[in-house]
Amino acid sequence: MGGQELRIIQETGWLNAHGHRAWIAARADSAIYRMAGDRGVPVIDMPFRGSFNLRGLFKLVRFCAHEKIDVIDCHSSRDASAVALARPFMKTRVVRSTHICKRLKDDFFRRLIWKHGAHGHIATSQSIRRRLIDQGLALPSQITVVGESVNQEIFHRGVSPGTVRADFGIPTGARVVSLVGMIRSNKGQQYLVQAADRVLEQCPDVWFMLVGGATEQKYVDSLNDHLSRVRHRDRIILTGFQREVEKFIAASDVICLPSETEAQSKIIPEAFAMGKPVVASRVGGIPDIVTDGENGLLCPVGDVGAIAAALVRVLTTDVSAMVEKAHALALREMNFDRLMEKTVAVYRRIRGEP
């Protein structure tokens, strides 16, 4: 479960709460299927186990016909391939949402899917839109950018951290730098771990939390190797997967996101809305929302020295003006209702509605 999956669940819940009928179609053994069910979001088991899974294609076509589905929004390559093959047998219109900012695979078969498998595209950042255009996978007129947003009913300055600090043995009065995201290589946990000793040389009261579940054992082994070489290993806490992320942001003094790749993080708008300063990588769609020195600090990817220096700057200087600008941006432009209005406008446009 990551930001992409949480966004899909949140969007589907919003659609159902605003007069539409919407389902998440996913494999029954997937994390998103289980969490959607836990949150009361309609979900249907769809066996996306390969592009040519005839049972899955038949079930998809039958479901769309029975429920009179107007639009399918595909969020990954596997469901996009299955829907493209099923399109000749459906009246349903298709949107393809892209959350990945790295170069996309575009062999002959995938290029056919990109060009002919959807009626329109949603990119979650300007960098993704540029990538789609540069690779010739979609026309500029077909792509709408709908960036990340924040649910301001959940993420706001009034959130209590509860017992988070006490639960993880963080002493009263300590300051906390947190990285919230899946434990995987592209999230950059290794860079924050490497920066920890440098930060502690100038800010000895700081603790670090890595909040999220692991997805690759290989990377966990690599991260443990980095942890074993840190002088202050006891100051770095791995919390594991957490559902109530807002409490961990509330328990933090700084949010750090030193990603190697990032479409446009959900954590940054959430931190903005909760009044927390942000230090992040200058990569992907992050510069779409973080202006260096204005509403956050940006660092070159993998530059441990720059990450440490930015964290020390936030911890030792007055950054209240920067935080207020970020907070105002979140309230003004990152409202979740506004995001969904743009999304529904895309759905209506591909159906030929005004």
Side-chain angles (χ1 to χ4, degrees):
M1 288 298 301
Q4 177 177 328
E5 291 77 15
L6 292 170
R7 174 169 170 162
I8 294 167
I9 290 173
Q10 192 177 4
E11 289 185 2
T12 309
W14 186 96
L15 289 167
N16 282 289
H18 287 77
H20 307 280
R21 294 185 307 128
W23 293 258
I24 293 175
R27 286 165 42 174
D29 60 352
S30 64
I32 190 172
Y33 184 97
R34 293 191 295 273
M35 183 169 281
D38 291 345
R39 296 190 177 189
V41 174
V43 62
I44 178 173
D45 175 22
M46 199 67 67
F48 294 121
R49 300 183 184 278
S51 302
F52 298 97
N53 183 323
L54 292 178
R55 186 173 71 88
L57 294 176
F58 177 74
K59 185 172 184 178
L60 177 66
V61 171
R62 185 174 58 182
F63 179 78
C64 289
H66 183 266
E67 298 295 342
K68 297 180 173 62
I69 300 297
D70 297 299
V71 176
I72 294 177
D73 191 342
C74 301
H75 290 265
S76 70
S77 58
R78 184 164 290 178
D79 62 335
S81 298
V83 170
L85 291 171
R87 261 192 63 189
F89 309 101
M90 302 187 297
K91 296 180 179 179
T92 308
R93 309 293 281 180
V94 180
V95 172
R96 184 160 185 177
S97 292
T98 307
H99 306 256
I100 299 173
C101 59
K102 64 182 180 181
R103 182 176 178 83
L104 299 158
K105 294 180 179 179
D106 59 357
D107 54 52
F108 177 75
F109 176 71
R110 289 186 176 90
R111 188 169 285 274
L112 282 177
I113 299 299
W114 275 105
K115 288 194 168 186
H116 304 291
H119 300 90
H121 296 265
I122 291 175
T124 55
S125 72
Q126 290 290 348
S127 62
I128 292 175
R129 182 178 187 274
R130 291 192 294 269
R131 172 68 69 188
L132 292 174
I133 295 170
D134 291 345
Q135 289 190 241
L137 299 177
L139 297 173
S141 60
Q142 296 176 312
I143 309 168
T144 302
V145 176
V146 183
E148 291 293 355
S149 67
V150 56
N151 185 338
Q152 293 165 16
E153 294 182 0
I154 297 176
F155 297 91
H156 54 83
R157 280 177 157 165
V159 174
S160 168
T163 61
V164 167
R165 289 192 174 214
D167 291 345
F168 290 95
I170 299 173
T172 302
R175 291 180 292 176
V176 178
V177 174
S178 293
L179 193 169
V180 182
M182 288 183 181
I183 304 295
R184 64 185 186 196
S185 58
N186 68 328
K187 289 296 182 183
Q189 284 92 358
Q190 70 272 27
Y191 302 127
L192 181 57
V193 167
Q194 292 169 28
D197 284 336
R198 302 190 194 194
V199 173
L200 286 165
E201 287 174 2
Q202 299 183 63
C203 305
D205 63 333
V206 173
W207 289 62
F208 302 84
M209 286 197 297
L210 306 182
V211 184
T215 61
E216 305 170 351
Q217 186 57 47
K218 181 179 179 181
Y219 177 61
V220 172
D221 295 339
S222 173
L223 185 61
N224 284 330
D225 182 55
H226 287 295
L227 286 165
S228 69
R229 287 182 267 141
V230 175
R231 294 196 306 275
H232 301 88
R233 171 65 184 88
D234 61 315
R235 293 295 187 89
I236 303 173
I237 299 166
L238 278 70
T239 72
F241 175 76
Q242 302 293 330
R243 289 180 180 270
E244 296 179 306
V245 171
E246 66 276 11
K247 290 185 178 180
F248 285 81
I249 297 176
S252 306
D253 295 280
V254 185
I255 298 299
C256 183
L257 195 68
S259 303
E260 292 182 345
T261 62
E262 195 74 55
Q264 199 179 82
S265 167
K266 285 183 68 64
I267 293 300
I268 292 175
E270 291 165 357
F272 281 1
M274 295 183 68
K276 303 296 180 178
V278 170
V279 173
S281 296
R282 186 182 288 105
V283 68
I286 291 178
D288 291 354
I289 54 177
V290 179
T291 302
D292 187 35
E294 290 292 322
N295 60 7
L297 296 180
L298 295 177
C299 305
V301 175
D303 190 332
V304 173
I307 294 167
L311 290 172
V312 170
R313 176 181 169 184
V314 169
L315 291 164
T316 59
T317 63
D318 182 6
V319 294
S320 58
M322 194 164 60
V323 169
E324 291 307 317
K325 288 180 181 179
H327 185 255
L329 177 67
L331 297 185
R332 184 177 68 250
E333 298 184 18
M334 297 178 178
N335 180 275
F336 184 64
D337 288 335
R338 179 175 176 176
L339 174 147
M340 288 308 302
E341 287 164 3
K342 290 179 68 175
T343 301
V344 171
V346 174
Y347 297 164
R348 293 192 185 284
R349 187 176 70 248
I350 68 166
R351 294 189 64 231
E353 296 181 22

